[in-house]
Amino acid sequence: FYKSYFYIKRNKLPYVIGKIASSKDNFIKSKKSKMLTNNFSQDLSHLLRYRSHAILISYKTLNSDNPRLNCRLNSLEQYSPARVILDKNLDLKTNTYVIKTAKKIPTYIFYNKNNFKKIDYLKKKGTKLIYLKLKNNNFKSIDILKKLYNENLFYLLIEGGLNLTQNFLNNSVFNEFFHFKSSKMLKKNGIIKLSNFEKKVKNKFKNFEEVKTYTGDDKVLRYY
């Protein structure tokens, strides 16, 4: 508790936790099943959401998965985090669950392109749009974190896809990182493979451990 608290106070930035899930053979998507990990791992994942002020994804994840991004643990649903979407060109689909529920759960969209018609629509749906400048055609991670800190979002969980995760990893954004590793082998049903990912994560952190919370046959590795 104090480690994260002092980090936030000292740096005036959110404390950032990253999370990714994969099969035993390191695929992060399956052609057949939406869920890779078991119910115990999913409960632990929702506990991370409960502990976070906000959860961040890219518009690509929003469009492809239509996620709910809420906490679904019994009696903790009301503590679901705010949702943060990175979408420089405002390419997100407006019929997704996150947009439809933006008046109930705070929803922030970082953008750069002035699509006035879509901006007006998203504001009417209850989202808060935050304009950011680009560098090398991308948002600077530090700019995102400063804006979120100013919104009093001090604990941030990032559940993006591989590209977003690697980008934040390369920029040393994460204070902690969780790799949920299923006992399932996907083989030919696997889509998008983590290539040397564990080695890259290890190089960014001093310590790692296997989480001792019961997760059945799944493994959860924590880097810090």
Side-chain angles (χ1 to χ4, degrees):
F1 172 81
Y2 285 108
K3 178 185 175 183
S4 58
Y5 175 80
F6 287 132
Y7 176 87
I8 294 163
K9 288 294 184 183
R10 183 172 61 248
N11 296 285
K12 298 192 184 310
L13 292 171
Y15 188 85
V16 184
I17 294 176
K19 177 225 155 188
I20 202 164
S22 75
S23 63
K24 190 174 183 179
D25 48 351
N26 284 324
F27 288 102
I28 63 171
K29 277 197 173 186
S30 169
K31 294 176 184 177
K32 292 186 175 182
S33 174
K34 189 173 182 179
M35 298 297 180
L36 297 178
T37 54
N38 63 29
N39 291 336
F40 304 111
S41 291
Q42 288 165 36
D43 283 348
L44 180 56
S45 177
H46 284 278
L47 186 64
L48 291 178
R49 290 183 179 183
Y50 156 73
R51 291 173 55 194
S52 301
H53 290 159
I55 180 171
L56 182 148
I57 63 168
S58 72
Y59 78 93
K60 292 180 180 178
T61 299
L62 183 77
N63 288 351
S64 64
D65 298 346
N66 190 18
R68 284 185 276 174
L69 303 182
N70 55 0
C71 174
R72 296 194 285 278
L73 295 175
N74 289 336
S75 78
L76 297 179
E77 295 90 348
Q78 69 269 33
Y79 300 108
S80 291
R83 292 84 61 92
V84 181
I85 316 296
L86 302 185
D87 186 9
K88 62 182 179 182
N89 295 320
L90 290 177
D91 290 322
L92 59 82
K93 295 177 182 178
T94 56
N95 63 343
T96 54
Y97 177 87
V98 168
I99 302 303
K100 287 179 179 178
T101 58
K103 289 182 179 178
K104 295 180 180 179
I105 303 175
T107 304
Y108 300 81
I109 300 171
F110 285 92
Y111 77 103
N112 178 264
K113 185 178 180 180
N114 282 321
N115 182 336
F116 296 109
K117 185 177 180 180
K118 203 162 193 178
I119 289 170
D120 185 57
Y121 176 84
L122 291 168
K123 284 182 177 178
K124 287 178 180 177
K125 296 299 287 185
T127 66
K128 180 169 183 177
L129 286 100
I130 301 175
Y131 177 86
L132 272 188
K133 293 180 180 179
L134 301 178
K135 184 175 182 180
N136 299 324
N137 204 37
N138 281 307
F139 296 129
K140 289 176 64 179
S141 55
I142 189 66
D143 292 340
I144 296 167
L145 297 180
K146 285 179 178 178
K147 290 287 187 181
L148 294 178
Y149 178 87
N150 290 335
E151 294 289 337
N152 295 320
L153 300 172
F154 302 137
Y155 291 88
L156 178 65
L157 177 63
I158 296 178
E159 283 194 20
L162 183 57
N163 289 339
L164 181 66
T165 300
Q166 288 184 327
N167 181 45
F168 278 103
L169 192 64
N170 291 337
N171 286 296
S172 300
V173 169
F174 298 116
N175 299 95
E176 295 181 42
F177 194 88
F178 288 83
H179 182 182
F180 288 73
K181 199 159 187 177
S182 170
S183 58
K184 300 175 185 174
M185 297 285 283
L186 291 184
K187 299 180 181 179
K188 292 182 179 180
N189 289 315
I191 308 171
I192 309 175
K193 191 166 188 177
L194 299 176
S195 180
N196 297 319
F197 184 78
E198 290 181 53
K199 184 178 179 181
K200 292 175 185 176
V201 177
K202 280 183 181 179
N203 288 337
K204 287 291 182 178
F205 294 90
K206 292 181 180 178
N207 306 297
F208 81 97
E209 64 181 1
E210 185 173 338
V211 176
K212 293 181 175 62
T213 301
Y214 180 74
T215 53
D217 293 328
D218 289 356
K219 286 185 177 180
V220 180
L221 301 175
R222 173 179 173 255
Y223 300 84
Y224 60 100

